[in-house]
Amino acid sequence: MATGTAIVLSGGMLNEINAKTTHGLLRGSERFEILAVIDTNHAGKDAGEVMDGRPCNIPVYATIDEALQKVSVLPDFCIVGVATIGGVLPPSILDEIREALMHGISIVNGLHDFLSERPDILKLSQANAAMLIDVRKPKRRAELHFWEGKIYQVTAPIVAVMGMDCATGKRTTARFLRDACRAVGKNAHMIYTGQTGWMQGGEYGFIFDSTLNDFISGELEHAIVSCWEETQADIIFLEGQSALRNPSGPCGPEFLISGNAKKVVLVVPIKREFYDDLPEWGRIPSVESEIALINAYGSEVVAVALNTQGATGEEIEAYRKEYEGKLGVPVVAPLEEGVGRIVEIL
């Protein structure tokens, strides 16, 4: 298992949604100790201040060379901290990857653009005794599991954290819920389903969008059942992916049906009008219709978490009161107030 110190490449996008992998690592990782972020547009700042206005004592440097002069140790890893549409590596980040490899630093890449399949990058890594870890590389058939129905043996509550669009904070909310439950003495665990969840140290899970479709249900079931059997978990949270009706990659019924998640925390981007902010992709439907759809699958939305990107404090409070009034469930803004009120009902 790859663990150690790391620097993170955010490609000049540290304050943007595309750097959500960087954001996740800044908020916490049990796998990597983050020493610095490399970002030409925000050099000299605290990475947390750029991300969401909260210092995290992780510096931002303009170049890898500058970072290596300032950090206390040579990092074990350099992590690609962006998530681009289509998973393509930006040219500027490829240049930074080459620079890191020349220093003997191993690369962790969460994009669909595999470094191990680029001959020049592979040759450079071998010449400098550095590893190329393509997190999204599909598993071999022998490693995959088919759904068997074992999920019905799990007696711990299974809670899916689902969103109404991509990049809304599903993983972050799930981690907050896990940690908040642990803080009150519950043996809570989270199933990761994306590359950032693995980078943050997830022990149980799989990479959803790199799994052959026939085996997604089985991989989900295997992760949940393994977690429950090996940890005796009191409660299990599932990191959702995409959204039920995002046309670029609709996703979610698997968590409700194959994962048997009868409870859902729904993440709502209150300032986003269109899927991925692209009008041509269609308008995000109402929260009420999303809840009705989840109910149709036999599951219940027990709370709403607000993605507050671009919203003022007054707007956040107004949305919270509006949704609580018409939905009748707790509504929280995880980044601003935590998830304690959700934990109370769970």
Side-chain angles (χ1 to χ4, degrees), residues 162 208 217 220 243-244 250-261 297:
M162 299 172 62
F208 191 105
S217 294
L220 178 62
L244 283 167
C251 174
E254 299 90 345
F255 301 109
L256 307 179
I257 299 174
S258 306
N260 200 34
Y297 281 108

Side-chain angles (χ1 to χ4, degrees), residues 56 63 77 80 98 124 129 134 144 190 204 224 262 279 301 338:
C56 66
T63 66
F77 299 96
V80 177
R98 293 185 181 96
L124 191 58
D134 287 316
L144 294 169
M190 169 185 153
Y204 297 96
I224 297 169
K262 295 304 181 185
V301 173

Side-chain angles (χ1 to χ4, degrees), residues 3 42 61 73 77 83 91 95 126 130 169 190 194-195 239 241 344:
T3 59
H42 302 283
Y61 298 113
V73 297
F77 299 96
D95 290 338
Q126 293 169 341
M190 169 185 153
Q195 70 276 11
E239 174 199 0
Q241 289 295 322
E344 289 175 11

Side-chain angles (χ1 to χ4, degrees), residues 24-36:
L25 292 167
L26 291 175
R27 292 190 174 112
S29 173
E30 294 83 45
R31 191 180 302 278
F32 300 112
E33 177 189 352
I34 307 304
L35 303 178

Side-chain angles (χ1 to χ4, degrees), residues 17-287:
I17 289 177
N18 281 351
K20 65 179 185 177
T21 294
T22 302
H23 299 166
L25 292 167
L26 291 175
R27 292 190 174 112
S29 173
E30 294 83 45
R31 191 180 302 278
F32 300 112
E33 177 189 352
I34 307 304
L35 303 178
V37 174
I38 313 302
D39 191 298
T40 55
N41 292 335
H42 302 283
K45 301 176 183 177
D46 180 286
E49 286 276 9
V50 177
M51 176 176 65
D52 58 14
R54 300 176 180 85
C56 66
N57 297 316
I58 295 175
V60 183
Y61 298 113
T63 66
I64 288 176
D65 278 342
E66 182 187 1
L68 295 184
Q69 293 172 21
K70 300 288 182 65
V71 297
S72 57
V73 297
L74 181 70
D76 299 307
F77 299 96
C78 177
I79 302 173
V80 177
V82 299
T84 60
I85 292 178
V88 178
L89 280 158
S92 62
I93 285 184
L94 277 169
D95 290 338
E96 291 174 319
I97 287 170
R98 293 185 181 96
E99 181 70 23
L101 288 172
M102 286 189 285
H103 287 282
I105 303 172
S106 296
I107 310 296
V108 179
N109 169 38
L111 298 179
H112 291 295
D113 193 345
F114 303 138
L115 293 172
S116 57
E117 295 180 0
R118 289 177 173 264
D120 65 317
I121 298 289
L122 181 59
K123 183 178 179 180
L124 191 58
S125 70
Q126 293 169 341
N128 291 279
M131 295 185 292
L132 298 176
I133 302 171
D134 287 316
V135 180
R136 258 179 165 145
K137 205 153 195 179
K139 292 180 180 179
R140 295 180 296 111
R141 167 62 187 90
E143 299 175 292
L144 294 169
H145 300 84
F146 197 76
W147 193 86
E148 297 179 331
K150 292 181 179 179
I151 193 71
Y152 299 128
Q153 300 169 12
V154 178
T155 57
I158 300 169
V159 182
V161 181
M162 299 172 62
M164 292 192 63
D165 194 14
C166 298
T168 54
K170 298 180 285 289
R171 182 195 67 256
T172 296
T173 301
R175 276 180 63 92
F176 281 8
L177 286 165
R178 180 201 67 181
D179 294 346
C181 283
R182 288 178 176 178
V184 295
K186 294 298 181 183
N187 181 17
H189 289 267
M190 169 185 153
I191 305 300
Y192 72 86
T193 55
Q195 70 276 11
T196 307
W198 178 88
M199 292 179 192
Q200 288 183 297
E203 186 177 358
Y204 297 96
F206 69 110
I207 312 298
F208 191 105
D209 63 12
S210 291
T211 302
L212 190 64
N213 188 62
D214 276 359
F215 298 96
I216 285 176
S217 294
E219 287 294 286
L220 178 62
E221 178 187 56
H222 176 73
I224 297 169
V225 172
S226 297
C227 176
W228 179 66
E229 289 180 343
E230 295 172 15
T231 69
Q232 290 77 55
D234 293 325
I235 188 167
I236 296 173
F237 295 100
L238 308 183
E239 174 199 0
Q241 289 295 322
S242 189
L244 283 167
R245 290 181 276 185
N246 183 312
S248 72
C251 174
E254 299 90 345
F255 301 109
L256 307 179
I257 299 174
S258 306
N260 200 34
K262 295 304 181 185
K263 306 296 181 183
V264 173
V265 174
L266 183 62
V267 185
V268 179
I270 56 177
K271 296 290 285 184
R272 203 178 300 178
E273 186 177 357
F274 303 101
Y275 286 115
D276 276 24
D277 284 323
L278 298 170
E280 62 269 29
W281 284 16
R283 193 178 301 275
I284 297 173
S286 69
V287 178

